[in-house]
Amino acid sequence: MLKISNIVSQIDSFVWGPVMLVLLVGTGVLLTVRCNFLTWRNLPWALKKTLSKEARTKSRGTGDVSPFSALTTALAATIGTGNIVGVATAMVSGGAGALVWMWISACFGLSSKFSECMLAIKYREVNEKGEMSGGPMYTMKKGLKNKKLGAVLGWLFALFAVIASFGIGNMTQGNSIATSVHATFGVSVTMVGVVITVLALLIIIGGIKTISKVSSVVVPVMAIFYVAAGIIVILGNIHNLPAGIAMIFKMAFSVKAVGGALCGNIVASMMNAARYGVARGCFSNEAGMGSAAITAAAATTDNPVRQAYINMTGTFWDTIVVCTITGLAIASSGVLGQIDPATGQLYVGSALTIAAFSTVLGKVGGYLVTIGITLFAFSTILGWEYHGEKAFEYLVGTHKLNMVYRIIFSLVAYVGATQTLELVWNFSDIANALMAIPNLICMILLSGEIAKDVKAFQKIIDRER
């Protein structure tokens, strides 16, 4: 008889299988085409607006936080261990070519992220406390013509979002911090757990305004810090870079399993590369999941389309920038497919990224990756708390219990840091995938409305260029 953990693990593998990946990317393709590729064509404009001074103010429209703060809070939840550990895992399981499929999924993910954020702002509400409440659950309830279907989909999305917030958004992140800090610096997991819990509580207790203030500083700093370290590693191995890039593209599109001098014992086919690249890419940037839309709904804006373009750049920063740096650092280092002397097995996960950084930076490389994992994972805890809180508020129908949720969420971080709960992780991973299903259905049903609003706003973009 199969153990419960084995059954949950098999369900996890199924829900994150080919059907889900085709649905995620397929929805992105549909939305990109229906929007006449405007999400791609307007990316330079969106990046310019994101980095403008105006994006840091609340001068245009209504909302709780500035457009830039809404983006960085959403990025806090998405730039996490997936950018360091997830990329490494994809490149071991799917070969170096997995990186190309990450890029491909991210390109179509731009349209998914744009659409879910635009709809969330369009259908947001103001709660009794005067705060913005929005996200796919409100879009489903108010935007879908079939109100019964909308109510059911909205409730399911909110339920899965709350479950995912405790698992993927909290416990797994706390465990990543505790294990990496213990392995690198020798600090006990208990001590790390206490520090994470206290820091999280101090920040989370203040709600979205405090979380966004911290995120708007921590997210850009940690991303610049990690990208700079990654570029140093790539430049240090620059002689391997052309061969590394050639191997990435060769392994991405080769029908037969191939390897190479820079891939050691790694051999993988195009199907493997696509499967792991798309899965890790979607997991990292969360495009199509609907989570970022909850934070986008808090933004101060005069038009849902304007803010959606700003939030859309999150997929660009997360996957095209940060994941690429990790991937190129690994591909040019020569450690992919090599044996880890400490375990006698292939380098995997964070150990692979640490080994890659260490080829140029020595022991400092290990410290930098560990600090990166710590900052990325902690910011994910903060971002996901807001996602879960708003989903919880939707389920219970009032904001009055939000403080209870904040305190429980902070305490659960300690459990994640000090316990290895594979069953809980797999269960929350399933909830994360199940969040996407009602969200994707909703976006497909409202794709005509999305396309109409995008095309109407294009006149404003043409004037502002």
Side-chain angles (χ1 to χ4, degrees):
M1 186 176 168
L2 284 170
K3 289 183 180 178
I4 293 175
S5 59
N6 289 343
I7 295 170
V8 173
S9 180
Q10 286 177 7
I11 295 171
D12 186 25
S13 298
F14 174 75
V15 296
W16 276 106
V19 175
M20 171 58 75
L21 300 180
V22 168
L23 187 59
L24 276 167
V25 179
T27 303
V29 173
L30 171 71
L31 293 168
T32 303
V33 173
R34 289 214 71 173
C35 291
N36 202 20
F37 293 87
L38 286 170
T39 48
W40 291 7
R41 288 151 57 189
N42 291 327
L43 180 60
W45 178 85
L47 291 169
K48 182 182 172 185
K49 286 294 174 186
T50 301
L51 301 173
S52 69
K53 283 184 180 178
E54 186 188 58
R56 289 167 173 76
T57 69
K58 294 199 285 182
S59 59
R60 194 194 288 264
T62 56
D64 295 333
V65 297
S66 72
F68 184 75
S69 291
L71 170 64
T72 52
T73 305
L75 272 174
T78 54
I79 295 185
T81 53
N83 299 78
I84 298 176
V85 181
V87 175
T89 302
M91 292 178 77
V92 169
S93 303
L99 193 59
V100 173
W101 289 96
M102 276 190 177
W103 297 333
I104 291 169
S105 69
C107 287
F108 293 109
L110 286 170
S111 301
S112 300
K113 184 70 68 80
F114 170 88
S115 300
E116 62 197 15
C117 291
M118 192 272 282
L119 291 169
I121 300 162
K122 186 173 182 177
Y123 291 107
R124 66 187 178 180
E125 297 177 357
V126 179
N127 67 16
E128 294 166 7
K129 200 177 174 183
E131 295 175 337
M132 293 294 178
S133 292
M137 54 279 195
Y138 290 93
T139 302
M140 293 161 197
K141 182 179 81 171
K142 296 168 73 177
L144 293 177
K145 287 179 182 176
N146 186 325
K147 296 304 174 188
K148 277 190 178 179
L149 175 66
V152 171
L153 290 179
W155 189 86
L156 287 172
F157 176 88
L159 176 66
F160 295 136
V162 170
I163 296 169
S165 74
F166 282 105
I168 297 298
N170 187 337
M171 283 195 278
T172 56
Q173 306 300 328
N175 195 268
S176 294
I177 295 171
T179 52
S180 58
V181 169
H182 176 69
T184 306
F185 300 110
V187 182
S188 74
V189 292
T190 304
M191 180 59 71
V192 176
V194 169
V195 173
I196 293 170
T197 303
V198 172
L199 283 176
L201 194 57
L202 289 173
I203 298 166
I204 288 167
I205 218 92
I208 181 61
K209 292 184 179 175
T210 309
I211 292 171
S212 69
K213 277 180 186 174
V214 173
S215 298
S216 63
V217 174
V218 172
V219 171
V221 168
M222 73 179 187
I224 291 167
F225 151 83
Y226 181 75
V227 167
I231 288 171
I232 291 168
V233 173
I234 293 165
L235 291 175
N237 290 316
I238 196 76
H239 56 287
N240 285 336
L241 191 59
I245 292 173
M247 183 51 59
I248 286 169
F249 282 96
K250 185 179 178 183
M251 293 186 81
F253 301 109
S254 175
V255 179
K256 294 179 181 177
V258 294
L262 286 176
C263 289
N265 297 312
I266 301 288
V267 289
S269 66
M270 174 179 161
M271 289 306 294
N272 249 12
R275 179 188 166 195
Y276 287 99
V278 171
R280 290 298 106 190
C282 292
F283 184 80
S284 176
N285 61 50
E286 295 180 13
M289 299 291 172
S291 50
I294 299 172
T295 309
T300 301
T301 188
D302 62 342
N303 191 299
V305 178
R306 183 185 299 279
Q307 182 60 34
Y309 272 119
I310 289 175
N311 267 84
M312 175 189 83
T313 65
T315 299
F316 173 84
W317 299 118
D318 178 277
T319 307
I320 306 298
V321 177
V322 183
C323 287
T324 298
I325 291 294
T326 302
L328 292 180
I330 291 170
S332 63
S333 67
V335 296
L336 182 61
Q338 301 301 318
I339 302 297
D340 182 351
T343 62
Q345 305 291 322
L346 287 178
Y347 280 113
V348 292
S350 59
L352 175 58
T353 311
I354 287 171
F357 274 59
S358 299
T359 58
V360 173
L361 300 169
K363 277 191 175 180
V364 175
Y367 300 151
L368 289 174
V369 173
T370 300
I371 293 167
I373 288 172
T374 302
L375 289 173
F376 284 13
F378 184 71
S379 71
T380 299
I381 291 172
L382 299 182
W384 261 99
E385 187 284 328
Y386 183 72
H387 296 163
E389 178 184 310
K390 283 298 172 184
F392 177 73
E393 181 183 315
Y394 181 87
L395 287 176
V396 297
T398 177
H399 71 283
K400 292 176 182 176
L401 296 175
N402 285 1
M403 191 58 72
V404 175
Y405 177 89
R406 291 172 192 177
I407 293 167
I408 293 171
F409 188 90
S410 301
L411 295 174
V412 166
Y414 177 81
V415 179
T418 55
Q419 305 293 321
T420 303
L421 302 169
E422 190 177 347
L423 177 63
V424 175
W425 294 355
N426 285 337
F427 191 68
S428 63
D429 201 20
I430 292 167
N432 205 15
L434 293 178
M435 275 173 66
I437 295 172
N439 186 50
L440 295 170
I441 291 169
C442 178
M443 287 196 290
I444 291 167
L445 292 175
L446 296 177
S447 58
E449 184 180 325
I450 294 163
K452 182 183 172 185
D453 289 358
V454 169
K455 286 163 188 171
F457 189 77
Q458 190 59 32
K459 293 171 187 172
I460 297 172
I461 293 179
D462 292 338
R463 279 202 307 268
E464 291 184 6
R465 274 204 167 103

